[in-house]
Amino acid sequence: MEQKSMNQSEEAFPSSSKYDNPELDSICKPSTEPSEAFQAETIIIGGGIIGCAIAFELASRGREVLLLEQSEIASGSSGAAAGMLAADSEDFAHPLIARAARDSRELLHHQKEQLYALTGMEIGLRHTGFITPFRSYSELSRCKDKQNNSSVKNQLWWDRSTVQREAAWLNRDVYGAYYRPLESEVLPVSLTRAYARAAHMMGARIWEGVQDIRLVVNNNGVQGVAAAKREITCKHVIVAAGLHGEQLMSQVGVALPSCPVKGEIAAIRFSAEQAGYRPDRTIYAEDVYVVPKANGEVWIGATSLPGRTDRSVSAHSVQRLLTAAGYWVPGVKEAEFLRAWAGVRPSTPDGLPYIGQCEQVPGLYAAYGHFRNGILLSAITGRWIADMLEGKSAEEMGIEALSPERLNRKGVVL
């Protein structure tokens, strides 16, 4: 139940789409639904990266899971993401998220082998590190002022001569750069679909194309979900529906606001003759990122447009992205332009995702609002939600700051 992104189709990601594994077609259709009343222990609403990661984690623990998606798996903001696992490069809003990002990156690396063993699907994981270049000493100083101690431990300083030796495709005028060797990235559609396929192979049911989903609750808490012209009873409902999460929660009087932030990305490709000009590591600069992908493309992003929900791509945005990328990687100017697309990411008033049980409605859980770090935080979010369903509290896990009730406690006007 994510926002559908335009200018991007399944065919745009030949190495990421369900066509790599035709069996996925047969597991994600609502035609598999029974005609009689149905039950499930846990229902997940939302077939993006967060919902599918939760389904995978729960299924791996032997839990009964039904995942409902209004469109197709990875058809929304997860499918429009760049797929960077920027645990050391990102400027996080809270130290808890900084720690969780590193834990999630490590967990996802371990999951890669499990996902492949179960599904035979590659997730496009590239573990080559990120480069953050600087034009001048003053730029470097501004970066140092914002850094925390943990990120400093995971980076190396490259002076100009080292940059020219290690990344000859970079602008020769680069003052210097930080190299963060632990950083990595994935093909987000591939990862999301691998999670879905693996969850299914471990017993989860996945229904796509399920419209008009409504939460069913009473004074005792969650009773189930009404969807596809029937009511499905359950013990737990996990809302992992991105921007639709706020609307679903409001059905039962729970206010968990989110704000849309539109982002645009462009894709280019270098020819065989241009191989020496193609970046082999991700550039994570202050004004742009340039991400070489496992499918041979290079993705350039991203704009940030708060409050925008349209999925159109402006010529101005594409020009700005290509100009910024072309400064750092001059070869971009000669590469083939492939396409551009937009996605809409859910942010929250305090910049933290909603993860945990809703105290007002027993059995109801939230897992949305990850903004630009949904891919990165997917693995750890799945683990946290699964732990909660097994009885662990947010306090035990050290994630009270992510409680869905936190804004009310802080007196934030919703």
Side-chain angles (χ1 to χ4, degrees), residues 38-313:
F38 190 69
Q39 294 183 344
E41 180 185 34
T42 301
I43 294 176
I44 301 168
I45 304 175
I49 188 68
I50 299 299
C52 290
I54 295 169
F56 168 74
E57 186 69 33
L58 288 174
S60 70
R61 301 185 187 196
R63 306 298 289 262
E64 184 188 41
V65 178
L66 170 63
L67 186 148
L68 305 178
E69 163 57 38
Q70 74 166 2
S71 183
E72 295 181 346
I73 296 298
S75 61
S77 56
S78 296
M84 294 184 296
L85 307 179
D88 297 319
S89 302
E90 184 73 10
D91 183 19
F92 295 105
H94 195 285
L96 166 60
I97 298 299
R99 293 192 301 272
R102 295 180 180 91
D103 291 343
S104 193
R105 180 182 61 190
E106 182 178 0
L107 177 57
L108 202 156
H109 281 226
H110 290 308
Q111 289 177 340
K112 172 183 180 293
E113 300 304 323
Q114 186 181 4
L115 291 170
Y116 183 78
L118 283 167
T119 69
M121 299 172 72
E122 294 284 359
I123 63 172
L125 179 65
R126 296 184 72 253
H127 188 187
T128 56
F130 288 9
I131 299 171
T132 296
F134 302 97
R135 295 177 177 85
S136 64
Y137 177 75
S138 61
E139 276 194 2
L140 172 62
S141 297
R142 288 198 301 272
C143 177
K144 286 181 176 180
D145 290 341
K146 295 190 297 183
Q147 283 188 328
N148 56 54
N149 292 332
S150 56
S151 64
V152 171
K153 296 176 183 176
N154 296 327
Q155 69 186 19
L156 303 172
W157 171 249
W158 286 355
D159 60 19
R160 179 173 299 187
S161 62
T162 305
V163 169
Q164 293 179 1
R165 182 178 68 250
E166 298 291 337
W169 38 267
L170 265 173
N171 189 324
R172 306 292 287 181
D173 293 332
V174 167
Y175 170 79
Y178 283 130
Y179 173 57
R180 302 183 174 101
L182 300 183
E183 302 285 56
S184 53
E185 46 92 6
V186 298
L187 287 165
V189 175
S190 294
L191 175 59
T192 307
R193 291 195 171 276
Y195 274 141
R197 176 65 182 160
H200 170 73
M201 295 189 72
M202 292 185 291
R205 281 160 287 212
I206 299 174
W207 296 351
E208 293 179 306
V210 182
Q211 302 291 322
D212 301 321
I213 298 174
R214 291 180 292 107
L215 304 180
V216 179
V217 305
N218 63 19
N219 291 336
N220 296 318
V222 161
Q223 301 301 302
V225 164
K229 299 180 180 179
R230 76 193 72 232
E231 187 171 308
I232 310 164
T233 61
C234 65
K235 294 180 180 178
H236 316 287
V237 171
I238 302 162
V239 175
L243 286 171
H244 292 283
E246 178 179 358
Q247 177 186 356
L248 285 164
M249 289 295 188
S250 68
Q251 293 175 4
V252 294
V254 178
L256 298 183
S258 61
C259 174
V261 182
K262 174 182 170 180
E264 298 152 300
I265 298 178
I268 61 174
R269 180 165 51 210
F270 289 77
S271 67
E273 292 76 18
Q274 298 168 326
Y277 301 99
R278 183 184 189 274
D280 57 9
R281 296 182 179 96
T282 292
I283 295 296
Y284 196 98
E286 185 177 21
D287 56 346
V288 72
Y289 52 75
V290 183
V291 192
K293 307 302 290 187
N295 63 0
E297 300 174 357
V298 176
W299 295 357
I300 300 169
T303 59
S304 184
L305 304 170
R308 292 278 296 275
T309 58
D310 64 284
R311 274 82 68 193
S312 62
V313 179

